[in-house]
């Protein structure tokens, strides 16, 4: 029998190294065995890896969370209320200006001074109310694709609106206060944070 015959059952196994060298490719006696390639009985099967829609980076929700959607709607509601408030204040300014031109009140110096001051203040207040409404609309639009800066601005907007709703406009600002607190809570939650800090490609 020759050891060179590949069909010899008594010969050394194929690919065996000469004596004195450890075998390559197979662990020897006392070496730890490698883990099985296929899970056998008793081994739990791992779930398949989900493909991330953000180019391999995990995180970032795929759709806008419900809280952010609600905050967005509330921002638009506040903007609508701001427009209504601006209209009411503008009508008040027009009424004061019309009363200023009233013949019976023309000789009343105190009323004329009050009318001059209040008409200017009311027009200025109208501009501020409209600007606040425009900011609410802009924040509502930017909730869809804005980053962390939009989130922080929305939080600050909600806090300031809530404070202004309490004082000095407590009666007419109660709805603003409730909506603003809800906006700040929804945007400040963890899912809101994840939405605004998601990777954008």
């Amino acid at each position: 029998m020759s050891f060179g015959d590949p069909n010899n059952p008594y010969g050394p196994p194929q690919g065996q190294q000469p004596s004195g060298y450890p075998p390559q490719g197979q662990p020897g006696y006392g070496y730890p065995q490698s883990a099985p390639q296929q899970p056998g009985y008793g081994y739990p099967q791992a779930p398949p890896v989900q493909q991330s829609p953000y180019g391999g980076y995990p995180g970032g929700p795929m759709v806008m969370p419900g809280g952010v959607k609600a905050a967005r709607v509330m921002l638009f509601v506040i903007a609508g209320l701001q427009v209504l408030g601006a209209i009411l204040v503008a009508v008040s300014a027009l009424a004061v200006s019309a009363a200023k031109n009233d013949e019976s009140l023309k000789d009343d110096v105190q009323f004329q001074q009050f009318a001059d001051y209040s008409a200017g203040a009311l027009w200025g207040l109208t501009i501020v109310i409209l600007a606040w409404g425009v900011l609410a609309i802009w924040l509502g639009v930017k909730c869809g694709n804005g980053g962390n800066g939009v989130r922080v601005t929305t939080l600050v907007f909600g806090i300031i609106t809530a404070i202004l709703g309490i004082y000095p406009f407590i009666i007419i600002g109660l709805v603003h206060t409730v909506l603003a607190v809800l906006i700040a809570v929804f945007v400040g939650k963890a899912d809101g944070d994840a939405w605004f800090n998601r990777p954008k490609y």
Side-chain angles (χ1 to χ4, degrees):
M1 283 193 205
S2 74
F3 288 112
D5 183 12
N7 295 325
N8 184 359
Y10 299 107
Q14 293 292 325
Q16 184 176 11
Q17 296 289 329
S19 67
Y21 293 100
Q24 294 181 357
Q26 295 181 3
Y29 181 75
Y31 289 94
Q33 298 292 320
S34 63
Q37 297 296 327
Q38 295 282 336
Y41 292 110
Y43 288 97
Q45 185 77 4
V49 177
Q50 296 291 328
Q51 187 69 9
S52 174
Y54 300 106
Y57 293 100
M62 292 190 328
V63 295
M64 187 184 300
V68 178
K69 286 181 184 176
R72 187 182 204 183
V73 170
M74 290 176 198
L75 283 167
F76 292 136
V77 169
I78 285 180
L81 292 174
Q82 292 295 111
V83 170
L84 290 176
I87 291 171
L88 290 175
V89 174
V91 167
S92 300
L94 290 173
V96 169
S97 296
K100 178 181 169 184
N101 296 329
D102 189 2
E103 291 296 329
S104 63
L105 296 172
K106 253 188 173 158
D107 295 334
D108 191 347
V109 176
Q110 290 180 341
F111 175 77
Q112 293 299 324
Q113 289 175 346
F114 170 76
D116 287 338
Y117 171 74
S118 65
L122 288 173
W123 284 117
L125 185 60
T126 302
I127 292 171
V128 170
I129 290 171
L130 281 176
W132 204 248
V134 168
L135 178 60
I137 291 172
W138 183 80
L139 289 172
V141 169
K142 294 301 282 182
C143 278
N145 59 2
N148 197 42
V150 173
R151 177 179 174 262
V152 171
T153 306
T154 306
L155 281 168
V156 171
F157 175 87
I159 292 167
I160 292 174
T161 304
I163 291 171
L164 290 175
I166 294 171
Y167 181 81
F169 307 109
I170 188 156
I171 302 299
I172 59 173
L174 188 59
V175 175
H176 279 75
T177 301
V178 172
L179 291 175
V181 168
L182 289 174
I183 288 169
V185 168
F186 289 148
V187 172
K189 283 173 36 178
D191 58 350
D193 182 37
W195 171 255
F196 287 104
N197 286 311
R198 74 195 185 283
K200 297 169 186 67
Y201 300 104

